Amino acid sequence: MELNVITLFPEMVKQTLSYGVIGKAIESGLLKLNCFNPREFAENKHNRVDDKPFGGGAGMVMMYDPLVRTLEHISTKTETGMVVFLSPQGEKLQQAHCNEWAGLSHMTLVCGRYEGVDQRFIDQHVDKEISIGDYVISGGEMAACVVIDAVARQQQGVLGSDESAETDSFMNGKLGYPQYTRSEILGQSGVPSVLLSGHHEAIKQWRDAQSLAITKRKRPDLLEGTSES
Ligand SMILES: C[S@@+](CC[C@H](N)C(=O)[O-])C[C@H]1O[C@@H](n2cnc3c(N)ncnc32)[C@H](O)[C@@H]1O
């Protein structure tokens, strides 16, 4: 999968994604990460990418032209694929989006800064607006990294053989089951005996039951409308 990120802070995105399984996938070429800085496509005296909002008000707005030129430049190098604008006003990111997008060959993520981006860029060039939650952060970079990590880990080969996304929370519509590792006794607490039994079917049944119970307790909304609610 090839991921293009339009950002005023390319190093922030590259650095953040250079760790762990995602970092390894980029190093091995399984994921290709390209960052493009709209400042390089600002055809004005001081490479300005932002200007005051029409109508007045606080802050600056990212200008249309440098962003469009960045997209055009990407098209000369590779495919843009689906263009996603990270925005608190977007559809809230869900596991289902990530599972679906893991099948895409290309994706372009646009990171806003300041008060946001000229609405005409969004209207004319963005396929999807995505939010990482109902709060406002200072720029789209961290949101883009969240999307990229969550999508990339669903791609074949990104997780090592000893890791699996299958049993993660949300993958089957429920939260994940509790995990234990050494030591067998910590303070007053032991490990549930079934996990030490070596009985695979019993362990699976226990984990399924735990997953359901935890979901009922912590996120009953996930079960609404299902036979398990
Ligand atoms: C300070 S915010 C601008 C918020 C904008 N004035 C608004 O109220 O919608 C700057 C940029 O951060 C990014 N951003 C902020 N919160 C976000 C969120 N919850 N999800 C995704 N991106 C976010 C967006 O790219 C946004 O353009």
Side-chain angles (χ1 to χ4, degrees):
M1 179 179 219
E2 192 163 344
L3 297 149
N4 306 306
V5 182
I6 300 182
T7 167
L8 293 173
F9 299 104
E11 289 312 315
M12 182 176 173
V13 174
K14 286 186 208 160
Q15 263 292 323
T16 306
L17 295 172
S18 68
Y19 298 95
V21 285
I22 308 300
K24 282 200 189 105
I26 292 171
E27 241 173 61
S28 73
L30 201 54
L31 288 177
K32 191 158 185 234
L33 175 69
N34 312 310
C35 290
F36 300 91
N37 191 337
R39 209 172 286 287
E40 290 174 21
F41 303 93
E43 293 178 351
N44 54 54
K45 207 167 154 200
H46 298 292
N47 294 340
R48 280 191 66 172
V49 290
D50 59 314
D51 212 333
K52 292 184 209 140
F54 279 125
M60 302 296 268
V61 176
M62 286 180 75
M63 292 156 80
Y64 176 94
D65 285 340
L67 290 170
V68 173
R69 279 195 216 103
T70 313
L71 269 184
E72 285 167 358
H73 173 77
I74 295 173
S75 302
T76 66
K77 300 278 171 204
T78 178
E79 288 173 45
T80 54
M82 181 172 68
V83 177
V84 172
F85 174 53
L86 286 313
S87 164
Q89 302 181 14
E91 216 173 280
K92 220 179 282 178
L93 184 68
Q94 303 289 338
Q95 188 64 52
H97 291 123
C98 304
N99 298 350
E100 183 189 331
W101 299 343
L104 299 176
S105 61
H106 293 78
M107 218 171 139
T108 296
L109 297 107
V110 184
C111 305
R113 278 273 155 181
Y114 316 119
E115 286 306 312
V117 162
D118 191 306
Q119 186 60 39
R120 290 162 293 184
F121 176 79
I122 300 168
D123 295 342
Q124 296 171 23
H125 295 282
V126 167
D127 298 312
K128 196 135 195 113
E129 281 183 80
I130 286 292
S131 164
I132 57 164
D134 288 349
Y135 43 81
V136 172
I137 54 176
S138 307
E141 286 75 13
M142 285 194 282
C145 290
V146 167
V147 172
I148 291 171
D149 187 315
V151 171
R153 55 184 284 113
Q154 299 306 324
Q155 237 207 314
Q156 193 83 36
V158 168
L159 294 186
S161 54
D162 55 349
E163 283 182 272
S164 165
E166 255 169 60
T167 55
D168 280 341
S169 292
F170 309 112
M171 289 301 288
N172 65 357
K174 292 189 274 260
L175 300 180
Y177 50 76
Q179 302 277 11
Y180 298 85
T181 185
R182 294 203 293 172
S183 296
E184 270 184 49
I185 306 286
L186 291 171
Q188 301 295 308
S189 310
V191 174
S193 56
V194 66
L195 298 179
L196 306 173
S197 69
H199 191 309
H200 296 302
E201 190 46 41
I203 292 172
K204 186 184 174 318
Q205 281 176 14
W206 181 85
R207 285 177 164 166
D208 287 347
Q210 287 290 315
S211 170
L212 180 59
I214 287 169
T215 309
K216 280 188 174 165
R217 195 169 78 240
K218 294 184 180 171
R219 289 291 306 277
D221 57 298
L222 294 176
L223 299 171
E224 270 165 25
T226 74
S227 57
E228 294 179 301
S229 64

